[in-house]
Amino acid sequence: MKKIVISTAIILGACCTSGATEAVDSIAADSLGFCFKDIINIPVTSVKDQNKSGTCWSFAGTSFIENEIRHAGGDSLDISEMFTVRHCYADKADRYVRLYGQGNFSAGGSLLDVAYVWDRYGAVPEEAYRGLDYGEDKHVHGEMDGALRGIVDAVVRRPDKKTSTAWRRAVDGVLDAYLGALPQTFEYKGKNYTPRSFAESLPVKSSDMVALTSFTHHPFYKSFILEVPDNWIWGEYMNLPLDELKATVDAALEAGHTVLWAADVSEDGFKWTEGVALMPAGKNEGDMEGTELSRWVKLSDKDRQAEKYKFTGPVPEIEVTQESRQAMFDRQETTDDHAMEITGTATDRLGNRYYKVKNSWDTNQIHNGYIYVSEPYFLAKTVALVVNRKAVPKSTARKAGIK
């Protein structure tokens, strides 16, 4: 109990700058002493929980669509993530078999998959398709994922020298058993819809969005198929210089649009429980003296790495350039791990700037389901993003041919 009191006192001293109420709020929301202050905080739909499923792409993409609907003056909706997952898994199976098993078949997906389903099949509200027909209250997909993989891998092995006419029904049977049969029609708020008519009734469309990235192995201001395994539909992303990618995100947030974000979250500096993601610069032996230096040189490489990511507040971070970012991607130190939604900006007690990010890992965390991502982390670890095309700055849009 004494340790808790001491820690609270330290944080109170760091955060008490604008009055007692703000200080108490900072303590309640920040165990590390960053004292985040939201600068842009776009109202969005509630945080959801993907639980034990590899469907972050659907949760983030659906949330992005929900908030685009809000921005366009529509209702605050809860749209089904599993409707999208169900369709993507079925189409992914078709493509995997057509490619003789050389494509990607997994629970993962891309930032473009929600729009892909929206265009081809429509959408439904959560109440019309929860995708929980297998005795669970939350999504648990390990068994289903394994069953589906077993079917398609058996098919591509062609044990009978050719594929049967039954395997696709087997895939649908597994999906129906776990997620439920897809609704052909449903009633919502006193009106009858099909999935297509429901999607068409909403004030957004996929053509409103543009997918962006920033890498030097393709020319800038041109689109290319992003080379990550979960881009199974071979979706194209407009390639922008890093400074223009960041400027586009900032412009979107300023205009009240959220940003759909794919990033690497495997870094030790991505501290979900503590609600912050940093790219610490680490210690420089030249800056150490005496006992500190003596202790440092005796540490193992593993312990030095752990020491680098111990922080209890703002620390110096690496400088990210277009070249260093590319090197991380080429060496696969930056991988396509996770999809989330950027909903605002913030500063810490030293004035460093962050993006406020909505996740789909439930709310049982210090910021109730959000994490503050530093600018260096964003610049280094962004794989791709999607924004409303109207939010792209005019100079960038002109060079990239975005209309």
Side-chain angles (χ1 to χ4, degrees), residues 18-75:
S18 314
T21 301
E22 183 173 337
V24 171
D25 290 344
S26 297
I27 295 168
D30 186 359
S31 64
L32 292 181
F34 283 86
C35 305
F36 293 114
K37 179 182 178 182
D38 291 342
I39 305 301
I40 297 174
N41 190 23
I42 299 170
V44 295
T45 54
S46 63
V47 172
K48 308 302 191 300
D49 184 12
Q50 70 184 78
N51 200 41
K52 297 178 182 179
S53 74
T55 58
C56 61
W57 52 273
S58 184
F59 279 84
T62 301
S63 179
F64 174 71
I65 293 291
E66 290 172 349
N67 294 315
E68 281 296 295
I69 291 169
R70 286 172 59 105
H71 187 276
D75 294 337

Side-chain angles (χ1 to χ4, degrees), residues 269-296:
F270 189 93
K271 294 183 178 291
W272 169 246
T273 303
E274 291 85 356
V276 64
L278 303 180
M279 293 293 290
K283 295 184 178 181
N284 187 331
E285 292 185 18
D287 297 331
M288 299 182 194
E289 297 180 353
T291 56
E292 184 183 14
L293 178 59
S294 299
R295 173 181 171 276
W296 181 259

